[in-house]
Amino acid sequence: MGICDNRVAIITGAGGGLGAAHAREFAAEGAAVIVNDINEAAAQAVVDEITAAGGKAAVNTSDITNYDDSLNAVKQAIETYGGLHIVLNNAGINRDRMFASMTEEDWDLIMAVHLKGPFCISSHAVHNWRGRSKEGVPVDARINNTSSGAGQQGSLGQSHDAA
């Protein structure tokens, strides 16, 4: 029995790195996991690993920076596994450049993934949870956000992480 039995989690950026580690651990603890990543092959590899170990997981390639498309991850969790309990905002990108060398395009892309993405998908999850609560259904849900130490301690090449 795991601490996440009968829970459903969406993990963004779960096709590799820390996101994939989160996905594997949540699944090992009993959660059904929506593995969200724009790289479908990477997400599928994580799903294959989870299901081979006896867990439940599905690929989702919704663009979390697009408000309408990010709703599809929430819909998929509900339609596939019957609910949603956890959103783990982990997706991130890096443009390792000093502030003086960073372009506006780099900045906008980083802000979209790091700030707008968590807003978009979390907004849809919260609307779902709020609606269920108003219907009298008990809601026990969480939003978790991965952050970078570069935002707290500073890093010459990641001034954007301070935002």
Side-chain angles (χ1 to χ4, degrees):
M1 184 170 199
I3 62 172
C4 293
D5 284 349
N6 303 313
R7 313 269 295 161
V8 180
I10 297 172
I11 302 175
T12 68
L18 186 58
H22 285 312
R24 288 189 295 269
E25 189 61 30
F26 272 77
E29 288 293 338
V33 179
I34 300 296
V35 177
N36 168 268
D37 203 288
I38 58 172
N39 183 330
E40 185 173 5
Q44 186 63 58
V46 174
V47 167
D48 291 346
E49 187 179 341
I50 289 170
T51 57
K56 294 185 221 173
V59 170
N60 177 275
T61 58
S62 296
D63 177 357
I64 61 160
T65 69
N66 178 292
Y67 193 80
D68 294 333
D69 195 23
S70 65
L71 175 59
N72 292 319
V74 173
K75 285 181 178 178
Q76 183 181 355
I78 295 165
E79 291 168 4
T80 304
Y81 297 116
L84 176 62
H85 306 96
I86 302 158
V87 174
L88 198 164
N89 291 303
N90 174 79
I93 60 170
N94 187 23
R95 298 296 184 262
D96 193 21
R97 293 181 180 83
M98 292 191 315
F99 186 76
S101 303
M102 184 168 285
T103 66
E104 181 181 10
E105 181 182 6
D106 289 334
W107 181 268
D108 288 346
L109 183 58
I110 291 162
M111 292 300 113
V113 174
H114 291 200
L115 297 177
K116 185 178 179 186
F119 164 76
C120 291
I121 199 161
S122 296
S123 174
H124 293 302
V126 166
H127 285 119
N128 171 263
W129 297 330
R130 185 179 198 192
R132 292 185 47 170
S133 179
K134 286 183 176 187
E135 293 169 357
V137 177
V139 175
D140 183 16
R142 305 287 185 274
I143 296 173
N144 298 306
N145 298 308
T146 300
S147 63
S148 168
Q152 292 183 325
Q153 289 88 29
S155 176
L156 187 61
Q158 282 89 45
S159 58
H160 52 272
D161 279 349

